[in-house]
Structures are given as C-alpha cells and as structure tokens.
C-alpha cells in the first residue's frame, strides 16, 4: 500500500466505514462501537440522529453559534448532570461570562466540580484545552475558542487529545467557522431557538435540523438557551471575541 495513503488510513480522525445509523443499525447511548463510547445528550430527538446514540466521548464536538455560545450551554445541561456522578472536573476554558451557579445546582450539577480556566492569550487557550482533554481527571471540557482563525492542524491536535480522554469535549466557535474544514467528530450549529443543525458527523446523518423538546427544562428556573438571529450571510457577534 502507498505509504502516504497508509498514514491517512491510520489517522484517528479517518472514518474507515461501518454500517450507517440511517440504514437501520441501532447504537445505544454509552455503548462501545469500534472502541468508541458515547453519552446520551438527554434529548431523545437528538440522540436518534447522532451516529453513536449520544455525544461522542472519543473526539471533539464543535458547536457554532452567532453569540458567545454561553446560551447554547442549555444543550449540554442534561449531560453535565449525568457526568456529575463521576466526581471528576467539568472545566470551563475562557468562558465569556461566569456560569450561573444556582442554575447549575438546580439542575443537579455539583458546582464544586466546576473548574474555571482563564487563559491570557490564544496560545494559552489552545494549550489549556489540550491539557484538559488529555487529563483523566475531567469528565467534560468546554472551551470557547473565540473568533480567531484556527488551522486544521491546531484543531486536529485537540481532536487527537480527546480521542482517549473519555470526556465530553466541546469547542464553541462562531458561525463563520463552518466555511473552514475541521476534524471534529461532530459539528453542529445553533440556528434557531431549540433547533440544532447537524453539519457533519462520522458515519451518520448530516445537514439535518433537529428540533429539541422543552420536556427537560426545569420549571421556574432560567434556561441556558440563546436566541440567535441566523442568516446565511450573518456576521459574527463581537461577543465571540473573548
């Protein structure tokens, strides 16, 4: 076999092919599939469209949105609640705002396990994200990469760091980033209120919209959801530049 081709096939971010989800193969959340694992998103409609039946825990997830991405944290609250049982850190790297502790506590998330990291610059942000992903002490890593451009090799380094970390790895980026290639296992976009657009995922359905039910909301509690005004030509929000 050609040496260059063999290197590509052996890369962790190369999908070798397996029976696709939409051809009738059922993959349950937290199951092992070709060595990979997943965690239920807590949203049945979304789990049904995700190839592994939930959030992949063997690679990065990119979530693109108009705003700073903090509102989109509502998408991950059910998973954060489940991860609290592990007793490991849930890390927030360069969040644009301080998470609202009473809301997290109301959702059953142990705020004593929340670790805030405030890098001073772009390089520190990448370094902190990679170290958290490689650590076995983190059950979730949420990193706000800001509006800067990132090379494929930089993002692939994070993807490889997350490959064996067994943690929920989420990278928040602005909408315009969808024009650039990325090695993430799952790439999504928040276009409307309670609507997630799956841009790409390994071996599964792509370019589809998923409507999320409000059934998981806690009554009388604020919900970490944002209301982005998305258009095909929308510009990034200044709030993303953290």
């Amino acid at each position: 076999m050609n040496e260059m081709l063999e290197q590509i096939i052996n890369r962790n971010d190369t999908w070798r092919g397996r029976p696709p989800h939409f051809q009738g193969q059922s993959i349950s959340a937290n199951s092992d599939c070709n060595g990979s694992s997943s965690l239920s998103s807590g949203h049945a409609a979304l789990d049904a469209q995700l190839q592994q039946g939930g959030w992949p825990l063997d690679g990065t997830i990119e979530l693109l949105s108009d705003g700073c991405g903090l509102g989109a944290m509502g998408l991950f609250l059910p998973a954060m609640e489940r991860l609290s049982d592990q007793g490991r850190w849930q890390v927030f790297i360069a969040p644009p705002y301080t998470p609202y502790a009473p809301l997290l506590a109301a959702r059953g998330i142990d705020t004593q396990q929340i670790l805030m990291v405030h890098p001073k610059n772009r390089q520190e942000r990448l370094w902190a994200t990679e170290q958290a992903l490689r650590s076995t002490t983190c059950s979730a890593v949420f990193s706000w990469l800001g509006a800067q451009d990132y090379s494929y090799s930089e993002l692939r380094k994070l993807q490889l760091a997350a490959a064996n970390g067994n943690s929920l790895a989420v990278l928040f980026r602005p909408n315009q980033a969808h024009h650039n290639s990325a090695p993430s296992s799952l790439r999504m976009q928040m276009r409307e209120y309670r609507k997630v657009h799956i841009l790409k995922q390994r071996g599964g359905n792509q370019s589809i919209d998923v409507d999320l039910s409000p059934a998981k909301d806690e009554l009388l509690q604020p919900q970490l959801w944002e209301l982005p005004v998305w258009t095909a030509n929308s510009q990034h929000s200044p709030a993303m530049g953290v």
Side-chain angles (χ1 to χ4, degrees), residues 53-73:
W55 300 127
L57 300 180
D58 57 352
T60 55
I61 300 168
E62 275 196 14
L63 183 61
L64 313 181
S65 69
D66 275 347
C68 60
L70 191 63
M73 282 298 299

Side-chain angles (χ1 to χ4, degrees), residues 16 41 101 139 142-143 196 211 233:
R16 294 192 177 200
S41 70
S139 62
F142 301 102
S143 181
V196 176
D211 292 309
N233 299 318

Side-chain angles (χ1 to χ4, degrees), residues 94-116:
Y97 303 105
T98 302
Y100 186 52
L103 183 148
L104 297 178
R107 296 300 300 262
I109 298 167
D110 186 355
T111 57
Q112 298 299 312
Q113 296 174 7
I114 302 297
L115 179 64
M116 306 287 290

Side-chain angles (χ1 to χ4, degrees), residues 6 14 32 87 115 131 134 144 158 162 236:
E6 187 174 5
T14 297
D32 183 77
L115 179 64
Q131 296 308 307
R134 291 190 185 281
W144 284 260
L158 300 182
H236 74 276

Side-chain angles (χ1 to χ4, degrees), residues 1 3-18 33-36 52 58-60 152 155-157 159-160 163 182-186 200-204 206:
M1 182 183 296
E3 184 177 351
M4 293 286 290
L5 179 59
E6 187 174 5
Q7 290 179 6
I8 294 174
I9 290 176
N10 289 331
R11 278 171 46 166
N12 286 352
D13 58 348
T14 297
W15 178 64
R16 294 192 177 200
R18 57 180 179 266
C33 179
N34 287 353
S36 65
Q52 294 176 224
D58 57 352
T60 55
Y152 187 92
L155 296 174
R156 182 171 179 267
K157 199 172 183 180
Q159 169 75 359
L160 294 177
S184 299
S185 300
L186 173 64
K200 76 151 197 174
Q201 61 175 325
R202 287 187 190 173
Q206 303 187 34

Side-chain angles (χ1 to χ4, degrees), residues 28-84:
S28 61
N30 301 308
S31 66
D32 183 77
C33 179
N34 287 353
S36 65
S37 59
S38 63
L39 174 71
S40 172
S41 70
H43 306 279
L46 183 56
D47 283 350
Q49 297 297 337
L50 294 175
Q51 169 65 10
Q52 294 176 224
W55 300 127
L57 300 180
D58 57 352
T60 55
I61 300 168
E62 275 196 14
L63 183 61
L64 313 181
S65 69
D66 275 347
C68 60
L70 191 63
M73 282 298 299
L75 189 61
F76 300 103
L77 285 177
M80 290 181 66
E81 183 177 351
R82 294 187 63 184
L83 291 172
S84 282

